[in-house]
Amino acid sequence: MIQTTNLIISSFVKKAFYSIGKNLQLILPALLLIGLAGSYIIGVPSMGMVGLVTLGPPFIGAAIVFLSSTEQDHPHSANIEVNVNPRFQSIVFFFLLALALFILHTNQSRPIEYFIVASAIYISILFRILASNNKHIVLIQIALVFMLSVYSVTLKYPFYIGNSDILAHLRYANHIYTIGTIVPENLAIAYNSFPLFHILIALSSEIFDVPVKYSWALIAPLMIVSTIPIVYKLSTLIFGRADMALCSALIFATLPDVVFYGQYMITRVAAAIGFFFALYLILKHNYDVRFAMLSIVFLIYLLFVHQVTLPQSIIILLLLYFAFSNRAYTNNQIFNMILLSTVLCIGYWVFVATSFTEVIIASRIEGLLEPRAVTTPSGSEQKFNSSNFYLNTYVTTFFLLVGIRKLLVSYDRELPYGLGVFLLITTPLYIPNPISSLWITQYLFRIDRFYLLLSPFLAITIGYSLFYLLKSDKVYRYLAVGSVCIFIITSVWAGTVAPVASDANQLTWTGPPKHLEESEIQGIEFVHKSVPNKVELNADRSSQRYINEYLQLDREHNSIKSIRVTGNSSENEGTILRAHRYENGGITVGPSEYRYRIDINNTPELLAKLEKSRSRVYDSGSVRLYLAQ
């Protein structure tokens, strides 16, 4: 009886998703109109217009493709021929790689020429994939250019700090390296019970006999490079086509979030890598005891390397369990992993990481009872001012929608169909929408942390959609190749989802650079050592976190606060100003949930206020210190 009921429910659900996919060309315009009307009803028409401009073109483009396609079209039988000599492509690849290295070596920052050459390298690999599917050579080429994009930042600048979390993690790793013990709970309540990443960096420093920040810059990015072949294997597992899988691996390596996190290698990135490996083992066809043990090892790794990635992984596994409801064997594997992950997570959080659990529950309850804002601040909307953002979003959304529709409508095989269901459910996490702009989802529950965990599915779908369009009408073939080239270029240049090109002086729209120069480091450290502890200091976000989370190994010093552009300052308050950066490119100020960019052009009153009400007691050219007169 229970089995019959399950079959009826499963059949009903499959028909429902088939109907959604079949009528997606009608649903998409309806969603646009509903969103636009809803924005006027709640009194924020600007949100509706941004949504219309951002999602309108890809929605309409996808609907046109749906109306002209048939259900029987599959990219599996497509014989795509591109006349590119593999040997010639290899010569071009290494020439462009050498040229990119030369450009990096002869410039202080990454110039526009570097981004042009990097885009050309990725595009050459794309044509190599379409011409010849020698998987080993292509995967090596993808890995090499990905490492170039990472090391061109982490090894080029004196101290790359990304969004500043790197500073705290390096401090914890340095504590382990110098003292030999895990960071005490009073110094790192969030990571005292989750120290695996810091232990890895400390061990690397010990083995190679280099400072912690150099071992991080050298070793940590290599971890995320290992996920490129995993994406290839996942795509092969689902679709069984090598060239499509290689294209998915290439797309994965160019996703803005993946590029950014390759440079910004912190605990949640290390955890995501473990999740990718565990996911492949769970979905693998010939699953046996050996793979089960390896999956358990990766789940335990997830538990110890980052706090919240395991709970997020459980949510993703639950969605996969629902999506693959017609595939009993895979579902049993997923269900077993959900049970094990839940037991591990609850047991460890409740009985070991007790202090952290109390803090995180209390902070979430407080945020729900007294939310600080409804939506994220306008300063976070800088990406909407960039044509790169729109082009990248158009291409990503277009390929995602085409892939979802074809997977739901055209497939009887359970893995591809299940992928389509999963993508349809998680679509709000991939594309801009009102849910992702809410303060509660963005900052309280950190919905943005799902982007990296879901990135393999997005890359696989774009690869599938590309090959579907290449098999279609000639117009769609040119559209597909051109769109992927645009996607690659805008991803390499992107200051879209994440600021992966903010260090380029010529691309001022990307925001303040995410690194500290050597002169800035020297100035900040001099001020920190020279100013008495009784003096209250404020600074921009990077300087603030560099002192609070990297230099200060104890809590005896006063914490540096963020610069206040407006309002009165206390009499005994000083300001550290990265003057050169403030005048060239801007600095970031404000607390975590209200960060915004200021510079000499849009906020000249800050400098005028400091020069008038404070004395400039130190000026290194890069860093100034203003104290009370």
Side-chain angles (χ1 to χ4, degrees), residues 349-401:
W349 279 38
V350 171
F351 295 106
V352 180
T354 309
S355 299
F356 166 76
T357 305
E358 292 173 351
V359 169
I360 197 169
I361 291 175
S363 64
R364 267 51 189 176
I365 293 175
E366 180 185 356
L368 288 172
L369 295 177
E370 299 179 7
R372 303 182 188 180
V374 177
T375 60
T376 54
S378 59
S380 66
E381 297 174 0
Q382 183 181 351
K383 61 186 179 183
F384 292 107
N385 297 325
S386 165
S387 58
N388 262 35
F389 168 79
Y390 288 107
L391 287 173
N392 195 273
T393 303
Y394 290 163
V395 176
T396 302
T397 307
F398 171 76
F399 278 113
L400 179 63
L401 294 174

Side-chain angles (χ1 to χ4, degrees), residues 165-178 181-184 187-192 194-195 198-199 201-202 212 267 549-550 553 555:
D165 284 356
I166 289 172
L167 297 169
H169 293 299
L170 292 183
R171 173 187 165 200
Y172 303 151
N174 194 57
H175 179 94
I176 296 172
Y177 175 65
T178 55
T181 61
I182 295 171
V183 182
L187 295 181
I189 192 171
Y191 288 99
N192 170 260
F194 308 92
H198 311 122
I199 293 173
I201 301 302
V212 163
T267 50
E549 300 182 11
Y550 186 71
L553 301 179
R555 289 290 183 260

